[in-house]
Amino acid sequence: MTDIKKIRDEYLNKLKQNLELHEVNQIKTDLFGKNGLISSQFKKINLIAEAERKDFASNLNIIKSELQDLINFKINEIGTSQINKKLDKEKIDITLPERPFILGKIHPVSQTIDEISSIFSEIGFSVEEGPDVENEYNNFTALNTPDNHPARDLHDTFYLAENKERLLRTHTSPVQIRTMLKDKPPFKIIAPGRTYRSDSDQTHSPMFHQVEGLHIDEKINMGHLKGCLNYFIKEFFEVKNIKMRFRPSHFPFTEPSAEVDIGYELKDGKIVIGEGDKWLEILGCGMVHPNVLKNVNVNSIKYQGYAFGIGIDRLAMLKYGINDLRAFFECDYRWLNHFGFDPLDVPSNYRGISR
Ligand code: DAH
């Protein structure tokens, strides 16, 4: 009994001093470690005469709690005082105005691709992709455009190799070939992406964007093509009525082929899409040529369908009133700031771009 009283008094005194954390931890080990002073007393309980055992055990427990409580209190106290010291030293001035931050904008071409994809996905088209570097077979030959075909010259192709094996795709049409080679019909896809031709002026850029469309099934006819494009144009330009005309044309991979014009008028120098007596060409299309289907092992008696290719940059220019195509690719931050789109999740404290 006296032993434990002595331990108690000695350690209560020690703990009352101004201690560092490691010193308190040392005391904790001295008392409650495996062979600690208090732990050893517990081992002794069985050796105590039965008459005194109960008292001894109960006193030991009281002293154990007393010391443990004080140790815990000390550890907390040291922790709090460390935090307070830190807070005193490291002041944060919360009255400083926040630094302005720059939030990126979505490029009009990306925005337009998203809009186009979402409109077509509503009527059952899925999105396919193909590489920018294509082989000559997918870009021309399989699309019914043999080596000596004059359409190859019209495309002003960038070839990557002397032997003309690898080239920058001149249109998104090779994605038709890739899709039909890897799957079985029916097909109902669009394929937006970058395309390249050696051409540059106010309405042409060496790199530009197209979206390809392909719908092949057992009973697809030109009426479906017209319905689909009519729906798309109305949705895209957000107009109820659209004047549209299909002009006979020629593409090697479609028969018959057509180019589509939409009606517009000029109001206060601005293009208004839908009505009016002026015409704008916006896409090429047609019924997929049986030779193309043969090249990708699709039975052209059982299956047929339509395809189209739309210039994305052109659509973006018309919808958003941009008049020089080259500006799309000049990476001028001020231009992007003006014509770009805010991402959906603009933070509520966003106050515009400051520079
Ligand atoms: N590939 C053509 C071009 O770049 C556009 C085109 C026309 C695509 C008719 C088609 C189509 O799929 O059927 O000029």
Side-chain angles (χ1 to χ4, degrees), residues 42-58:
F42 274 97
K43 287 181 196 151
K44 269 176 33 188
I45 289 181
N46 281 340
L47 308 174
I48 305 256
E50 214 180 326
E52 291 163 27
R53 198 179 295 157
K54 216 175 152 192
D55 269 359
F56 178 85
S58 117

Side-chain angles (χ1 to χ4, degrees), residues 155 170-171 173 176 197 210 212-213 251 253-254 284-286 307-309:
H155 278 210
T170 56
H171 50 179
S173 304
Q176 290 188 27
R197 288 181 204 177
Q210 286 190 341
E212 193 74 13
F251 299 103
F253 31 89
T254 43
C285 62
F308 54 84

Side-chain angles (χ1 to χ4, degrees), residues 103 105 332-342 350 352-354:
L103 194 70
K105 291 244 182 165
D332 183 332
Y333 197 78
R334 292 157 304 176
W335 183 88
L336 188 56
N337 195 20
H338 180 74
F339 286 108
F341 293 82
D342 284 332
Y350 171 64
I353 293 169
S354 63

